[in-house]
Amino acid sequence: MEGFENIPLPKLPGTEFYNPLDLARPRPQVFKVVNGIAGNYGEYSLPPNLRPTSAPVRRKPLADRTAPNKKVTQPGWLVYDGQVLRYFGWFKEIITERREEKWRVRKCVLYYYLEDDTIHISEPKVDNSGIPQGVFLRRMKVSKEDGGYLKFPDLLVGESVSIYKREFHIISCDDFTRKFLAEKGITLADDVEAPGDPYTMMKQKERDHFFAKQRKPDEASLTFFSRGTLSKKMLENDRKVLRFYCVWEEDAIYGNEKRQSIIHYYLSDDTIEVLEVNDRNSGRDSFPLLLRRMKLTKGEAMVPSDFFRDPKEEKYINFTDLKIGATIPVYGKDLLMYDCDEFTRDFYVNKLGLPEESLAKIDVFPKKEVVRVQPKLMKHAFSIGSDEEALQAQKSLVLKPLKKDMKKFVMNDGKLLRYVAKLVNTEKFPLKSRYDAEREFVITYYLVDDTILIFEPPQRNSGIVGGKFLERQKVKSPDNKLYVKQDLTVGSNIIVYCRAFQIVSADEYTLSFQEEHKFAECDYDLITSRLRGFIQGEKLDELKTLLIQEDGEGVGSVSSATLVDLVGKIGGSLSPQEAITICRRLNNSVDSVDTAAFLDSVSS
């Protein structure tokens, strides 16, 4: 039937066709890692010939569609990360404000960052230059006059490069730069020296000519400290300072007190300054100077010497008067020099030829035995919280939270030791009622913070309401010591607020934990070695006889309580916890022990 091909199907139940591609428009992930390189590889788009009604096409991963012979290149920021080329150069600066000089040479260092082709120029600081030096050009991309940006092939030794209307002459580079450019096929010229400007060279010649005219000191001359030589001395010893550490005694309220100070001797002009050293929390006002920089007068020379000393300067202290062990009078204070720094020690040894033994440190502060005083807890009636919190409140007016042992918290979080205990009658802590002996309690010990919780299970028709007997807290013994996990063993007694509890049993996890961590009464090897030293000869025969008598039915085992009694009868000692440890090791039980295995363990 012609003409009926394009007639749509009627929208009747069962005649509709659902194409999932009409509604599914997923956005694929475009940020991927291909061959170890992360990047944006474009958004996936359907081919134009793919109709929405056609079947979906499964595309291969991008890594599989990459040509096998195609070379994978990594981005520059990844290849050249942290690699910098360094060049040394200079540029000429025109001077118009001075008649003494027309131009000046300024040296600089040029850094080229390979990762992003940026350039940074810095100028090394020169003393007394009067020029604000440092960063000359911050890190940035530098444009060339003919367009584009400056690249490393444009930077060659022996050539100049124009950067913002200044001609920078490159004279050298470091070894890494030469090696890198050689790998790129660029050969650099040899390093050259930077030229000197006329004004600097003229000043250097005047200085050399001035020093050449000065008379040299001889044996019959005392003109070494003339004006010209003093100028030379100032230039040669500028910023050279001798440092000595001193101590002096002061009469304090509670006796003599040793106070520290530092002597600085300036070799350029023979001046001295004294700095006061105050300890932290000493209660004294911190004055920066005990004596300002000046020439210090003296009486008689402490070290007789005629080492180039001018008679006019004889009344002032010279560096020859300073040595370890000497005392310097500073306006009523006698400063004892007991040590010096390395520069001072090298100066006296190399320049003056003094032996190193004469510059050894003197121990002026005898070592005192450090006694650590345990802070006392002054807990008042209004104190809130535990003893640790009350002690923390005594240290500062501003309350600070207690520091937790994070290692202990991580290792022991959620770990509990559980015991079954009963109230017992003791001389100091008797029972309040005869019914208390029938009560049972569950003691829970929290390993994370060493706290104890006591709970009483309810018993029907007992007349006692069960429940929480003691809130979770740290518990102290009558000796004012905290109970720790080693104190809680089967058979031991603990005193909790004038109540005596005796532990009668423990759960499986608690016993395994005690044996794993080698508690004193849970170490099987330690227990058997102690019993071997006691049970020998006649006592061993006596123990065998008692075990046979107790095992009347010939079962070959006795209970742990019986084992404790039998060892006590022959004069030994065995705690209930030790008996349980032996039973668990030999018979894998807490109630009985194999008599033959026990005898073998204590007799071998």
Side-chain angles (χ1 to χ4, degrees):
M1 297 176 65
E2 298 181 357
F4 294 95
E5 292 85 356
N6 298 325
I7 297 176
L9 295 176
K11 294 184 178 181
L12 298 176
T15 61
E16 295 183 1
F17 176 73
Y18 172 72
N19 189 357
L21 294 179
D22 292 340
L23 299 178
R25 295 293 184 268
R27 290 185 60 83
Q29 182 178 358
V30 297
F31 185 81
K32 300 179 181 179
V33 178
V34 180
N35 295 332
I37 303 174
N40 189 343
Y41 291 92
E43 186 175 358
Y44 168 75
S45 61
L46 292 174
N49 58 351
L50 186 62
R51 301 288 183 178
T53 57
S54 61
V57 179
R58 295 185 177 272
R59 302 177 73 249
K60 294 183 179 180
L62 186 59
D64 298 340
R65 292 186 286 110
T66 304
N69 297 328
K70 185 178 180 180
K71 185 178 179 181
V72 179
T73 58
Q74 296 182 345
W77 57 265
L78 185 61
V79 177
Y80 300 117
D81 182 30
Q83 299 185 16
V84 183
L85 305 182
R86 184 173 59 169
Y87 300 88
F88 302 94
W90 62 275
F91 66 93
K92 182 187 294 186
E93 183 181 21
I94 305 299
I95 306 298
T96 59
E97 294 84 1
R98 294 172 57 91
R99 64 179 179 84
E100 293 86 355
E101 54 180 339
K102 300 300 182 182
W103 52 275
R104 182 179 300 171
V105 172
R106 296 178 63 175
K107 298 179 181 179
C108 59
V109 182
L110 189 146
Y111 300 91
Y112 184 89
Y113 296 85
L114 293 169
E115 60 183 53
D116 54 358
D117 299 325
T118 55
I119 293 177
H120 159 67
I121 301 177
S122 65
E123 183 179 5
K125 293 186 178 182
V126 179
D127 295 338
N128 302 322
S129 65
I131 302 174
Q133 297 163 326
V135 177
F136 188 81
L137 177 69
R138 66 179 180 86
R139 181 176 174 181
M140 60 188 300
K141 284 189 175 184
V142 178
S143 302
K144 296 191 294 185
E145 295 181 355
D146 56 352
Y149 294 104
L150 205 61
K151 303 292 185 179
F152 66 86
D154 302 325
L155 305 176
L156 301 176
V157 176
E159 298 184 5
S160 60
V161 59
S162 178
I163 299 178
Y164 296 115
K165 301 302 180 180
R166 289 183 184 266
E167 291 292 330
F168 289 86
H169 303 272
I170 301 175
I171 59 175
S172 63
C173 63
D174 58 5
D175 296 337
F176 171 77
T177 304
R178 286 188 176 275
K179 183 178 178 181
F180 175 82
L181 295 179
E183 294 177 354
K184 299 295 182 180
I186 301 175
T187 304
L188 298 178
D190 296 334
D191 297 344
V192 295
E193 294 292 336
D197 56 86
Y199 180 76
T200 305
M201 296 173 64
M202 180 187 66
K203 284 297 183 181
Q204 183 65 33
K205 288 180 180 180
E206 292 179 359
R207 191 180 297 107
D208 296 341
H209 180 68
F210 177 77
F211 289 144
K213 292 191 303 182
Q214 303 302 320
R215 291 182 57 188
K216 301 296 182 181
D218 51 19
E219 296 179 359
S221 175
L222 290 177
T223 60
F224 184 81
F225 288 91
S226 61
R227 185 174 183 83
T229 310
L230 285 176
S231 300
K232 180 179 179 181
K233 175 183 177 181
M234 181 184 66
L235 294 175
E236 291 181 349
N237 297 321
D238 186 30
R239 294 187 299 180
K240 294 183 179 179
V241 184
L242 305 181
R243 176 182 292 178
F244 291 90
Y245 301 98
C246 309
V247 65
W248 56 282
E249 292 188 0
E250 182 185 27
D251 294 336
I253 300 176
Y254 302 103
N256 293 339
E257 179 184 0
K258 290 185 177 181
R259 302 186 61 182
Q260 301 182 54
S261 58
I262 297 176
I263 291 180
H264 287 161
Y265 183 90
Y266 294 85
L267 293 172
S268 59
D269 55 358
D270 299 320
T271 55
I272 291 177
E273 73 174 1
V274 182
L275 309 180
E276 186 177 3
V277 179
N278 286 322
D279 295 333
R280 189 177 181 181
N281 300 327
S282 62
R284 298 182 178 274
D285 295 333
S286 59
F287 294 99
L289 293 176
L290 185 64
L291 178 70
R292 67 178 179 84
R293 182 176 175 180
M294 59 185 296
K295 287 191 175 183
L296 184 62
T297 58
K298 67 180 180 64
E300 299 180 356
M302 293 172 291
V303 181
S305 173
D306 56 351
F307 184 83
F308 300 139
R309 186 175 298 176
D310 195 316
K312 296 181 181 180
E313 302 290 333
E314 194 69 33
K315 60 180 179 179
Y316 298 114
I317 289 179
N318 190 262
F319 61 87
T320 56
D321 301 325
L322 306 178
K323 70 172 186 177
I324 303 297
T327 303
I328 299 294
V330 180
Y331 295 103
K333 296 179 174 60
D334 295 330
L335 274 62
L336 173 64
M337 294 179 290
Y338 67 90
D339 196 8
C340 62
D341 60 359
E342 289 298 328
F343 173 78
T344 306
R345 188 172 285 105
D346 294 340
F347 176 81
Y348 279 93
V349 172
N350 299 328
K351 299 293 184 181
L352 304 183
L354 297 181
E356 295 185 4
E357 293 77 11
S358 62
L359 299 170
K361 181 181 179 181
I362 300 176
D363 190 8
V364 295
F365 301 99
K367 295 182 179 180
K368 297 182 180 180
E369 185 177 353
V370 179
V371 179
R372 298 188 180 274
V373 180
Q374 186 70 18
K376 295 182 179 180
L377 176 63
M378 296 181 292
K379 191 172 182 180
H380 304 285
F382 56 83
S383 298
I384 300 175
S386 62
D387 293 345
E388 290 80 3
E389 294 173 344
L391 184 61
Q392 182 75 7
Q394 297 173 192
K395 297 179 181 179
S396 175
L397 293 176
V398 180
L399 297 180
K400 298 180 180 179
L402 294 174
K403 293 184 178 180
K404 293 184 178 180
D405 188 353
M406 295 306 299
K407 181 179 179 181
K408 184 177 181 181
F409 176 79
V410 173
M411 297 296 294
N412 298 318
D413 185 28
K415 294 183 179 180
L416 312 175
L417 303 182
R418 290 188 177 89
Y419 308 87
V420 176
K422 289 187 175 183
L423 290 172
V424 293
N425 190 16
T426 61
E427 182 178 355
K428 290 185 178 181
F429 306 102
L431 295 177
K432 306 299 181 182
S433 172
R434 61 187 181 90
Y435 299 105
D436 289 344
E438 302 176 358
R439 301 170 64 180
E440 288 189 354
F441 300 87
V442 177
I443 298 178
T444 304
Y445 184 91
Y446 295 84
L447 294 173
V448 68
D449 55 359
D450 301 322
T451 54
I452 294 177
L453 170 68
I454 301 180
F455 180 82
E456 183 179 10
Q459 298 182 14
R460 298 182 63 182
N461 302 325
S462 63
I464 299 174
V465 179
K468 189 181 296 184
F469 183 83
L470 178 69
E471 188 74 27
R472 178 180 173 180
Q473 59 182 280
K474 291 185 177 181
V475 180
K476 289 185 177 181
S477 64
D479 299 335
N480 202 24
K481 295 182 180 179
L482 290 175
Y483 282 114
V484 294
K485 55 181 177 294
Q486 288 81 3
D487 299 330
L488 304 181
T489 56
V490 177
S492 62
N493 293 347
I494 61 172
I495 308 300
V496 180
Y497 295 108
C498 301
R499 295 292 185 102
F501 290 88
Q502 185 180 34
I503 300 176
V504 296
S505 63
D507 61 2
E508 179 67 22
Y509 174 79
T510 303
L511 297 175
S512 301
F513 180 86
Q514 293 174 341
E515 295 172 0
E516 180 182 356
H517 290 78
K518 301 291 184 181
F519 282 23
E521 297 183 4
C522 301
D523 190 350
Y524 175 79
D525 297 332
L526 184 63
I527 298 171
T528 53
S529 62
R530 181 176 63 83
L531 292 177
R532 289 193 200 101
F534 171 73
I535 303 176
Q536 294 180 358
E538 297 180 357
K539 292 186 177 181
L540 181 60
D541 297 337
E542 184 179 358
L543 180 61
K544 290 181 180 179
T545 303
L546 293 175
L547 288 173
I548 293 174
Q549 292 177 358
E550 288 293 334
D551 187 16
E553 299 180 358
V555 179
S557 62
V558 294
S559 63
S560 59
T562 304
L563 184 62
V564 173
D565 297 337
L566 296 181
V567 174
K569 288 182 180 180
I570 62 175
S573 62
L574 188 67
S575 65
Q577 181 67 58
E578 293 175 340
I580 292 175
T581 303
I582 295 174
C583 294
R584 286 172 52 83
R585 183 64 175 270
L586 299 180
N587 206 26
N588 197 18
S589 173
V590 297
D591 298 330
S592 61
V593 60
D594 190 345
T595 55
F598 173 71
L599 292 175
D600 291 340
S601 63
V602 299
S603 61
S604 57

